[in-house]
Amino acid sequence: MINFILEYLWFFIIYAFLGWCVEVAYHAVTSGKFVNRGFLNGPVCPIYGFGMIILIFCLEDLSENFFLLFLGAFLLTSTLELITGFILEKVFNNKWWDYNDMPFNIKGYVCLSFSIIWGLAGVFMIDIIHPSISKFVSIFNSNIGNIILIILLAYFIADFLITILGIMKIKKHMLILEEIAEKLRSYSEDVGENIYKGMTLAIKTKDNMKNKLAEQKSDFKDIIDERKLHMEELKTKYEKLSKEKSFIHRRLENAFPNIKKKLSELDHNRKDK
């Protein structure tokens, strides 16, 4: 049992690293630049590690049956991507990837074209790549191998904790920005509503229109000056917060553009006020 667990831990680390390599290569080809696409700071994509150990555990015995292997990989990887995407959005209040612009997608978490790719990739990995990886892992079935594994797992856990703490700061950061944007919107609406009420009252009392307008003008000036002061303070705070981004925040914005997109939308909404 111990050997089984150690073997699967090795599979997790190796495939998490290989998945990271695939993501980096894909985005190097499509964007022409290096992007650390990992959820963590290090060169690993945990979802690939989890995905592969699930496929190995459930489908390795079906390696001789292409159709069942493809179908199983298609369903299992799609389910994992769907669950992961849903959890990340609920926990961090933001989509980390979005397939809404792709046909036959489910809530933007999964789409048919990528699910087919994951199914074919699963067949390729189980039939072609995994036998060699399994032989490679058997080399580390020793005390030295176990020490190396412990070091790698310790690094992975430390990286995971650091990243989670960084993400929670990002979430708090974005909630503050949203609150500021909402206050700016509220102030703009208050000014507009007061102007509307003042003009309506002046029109209804035509005989005293000049006096009413003068009074309303004075009131509007006080309200507008007060709101303007608050708005300038909020804008200054907003701009300061927008520039205060940690290393993890900047890295995740590059890796997952939806985070940066949401921040850009907040900034656009603020400038419209």
Side-chain angles (χ1 to χ4, degrees):
M1 185 63 179
I2 296 297
N3 289 335
F4 174 83
I5 294 173
L6 293 174
E7 183 180 44
Y8 269 72
L9 287 173
W10 272 114
F11 290 155
F12 171 79
I13 289 174
I14 291 172
Y15 287 117
F17 171 72
L18 292 179
W20 179 85
C21 293
V22 170
E23 286 282 346
V24 168
Y26 174 78
H27 284 274
V29 171
T30 56
S31 66
K33 62 181 181 180
F34 166 76
V35 178
N36 181 358
R37 281 283 296 176
F39 171 75
L40 303 181
N41 297 300
V44 287
C45 283
I47 191 171
Y48 284 91
F50 285 118
M52 276 307 300
I53 61 176
I54 290 172
L55 294 185
I56 294 166
F57 183 80
C58 297
L59 304 177
E60 190 173 13
D61 292 339
L62 299 176
S63 59
E64 300 298 323
N65 189 319
F66 174 85
F67 176 75
L68 289 180
L69 183 57
F70 168 77
L71 182 61
F74 176 94
L75 294 174
L76 288 172
T77 54
S78 298
T79 301
L80 176 63
E81 189 173 33
L82 176 65
I83 293 173
T84 303
F86 176 80
I87 291 174
L88 286 174
E89 182 176 12
K90 293 303 178 182
V91 173
F92 302 115
N93 196 33
N94 192 45
K95 268 190 168 70
W96 290 71
W97 59 84
D98 192 350
Y99 296 135
N100 273 312
D101 59 341
M102 305 287 285
F104 306 106
N105 71 83
I106 301 176
K107 302 291 187 180
Y109 301 126
V110 295
C111 67
L112 180 61
S113 57
F114 271 94
S115 292
I116 291 173
I117 291 173
W118 300 140
L120 293 173
V123 173
F124 176 76
M125 294 302 294
I126 295 294
D127 280 348
I128 308 299
I129 302 298
H130 184 64
S132 299
I133 296 294
S134 185
K135 291 179 181 178
F136 175 76
V137 167
S138 65
I139 298 174
F140 292 91
N141 187 18
S142 63
N143 289 334
I144 294 177
N146 293 338
I147 292 172
I148 295 173
L149 178 61
I150 290 171
I151 293 172
L152 292 174
L153 288 174
Y155 168 79
F156 172 84
I157 293 171
D159 193 0
F160 178 80
L161 293 175
I162 291 170
T163 302
I164 291 297
L165 290 174
I167 289 172
M168 296 309 295
K169 288 182 180 179
I170 293 173
K171 183 179 179 181
K172 182 179 179 181
H173 183 94
M174 296 189 73
L175 287 174
I176 293 173
L177 291 176
E178 287 179 345
E179 183 181 345
I180 292 173
E182 178 61 24
K183 285 182 179 179
L184 289 171
R185 183 195 63 77
S186 178
Y187 285 156
S188 296
E189 289 182 354
D190 285 347
V191 171
E193 186 177 349
N194 278 285
I195 291 173
Y196 169 76
K197 288 180 178 178
M199 292 303 298
T200 301
L201 179 61
I203 291 171
K204 287 181 178 179
T205 56
K206 293 181 180 179
D207 51 336
N208 295 320
M209 183 176 289
K210 290 184 179 180
N211 292 333
K212 291 292 183 182
L213 285 174
E215 291 174 6
Q216 291 297 329
K217 183 177 179 181
S218 177
D219 292 341
F220 293 156
K221 187 177 185 303
D222 291 340
I223 293 171
I224 291 172
D225 287 345
E226 181 182 353
R227 289 290 187 265
K228 186 176 180 181
L229 179 61
H230 284 296
M231 290 175 73
E232 289 299 325
E233 290 175 352
L234 288 172
K235 286 179 180 179
T236 301
K237 184 178 180 181
Y238 186 100
E239 290 169 359
K240 182 180 179 181
L241 285 172
S242 296
K243 294 176 182 178
E244 292 177 352
K245 297 179 183 177
S246 65
F247 165 77
I248 293 176
H249 193 157
R250 293 193 300 272
R251 183 185 67 76
L252 289 175
E253 278 190 350
N254 290 329
F256 301 95
N258 282 330
I259 296 176
K260 192 171 185 177
K261 181 181 177 182
K262 185 169 183 179
L263 190 59
S264 298
E265 288 173 353
L266 285 173
D267 191 51
H268 177 72
N269 292 336
R270 175 189 67 82
K271 289 178 180 177
D272 286 343
K273 306 304 182 222

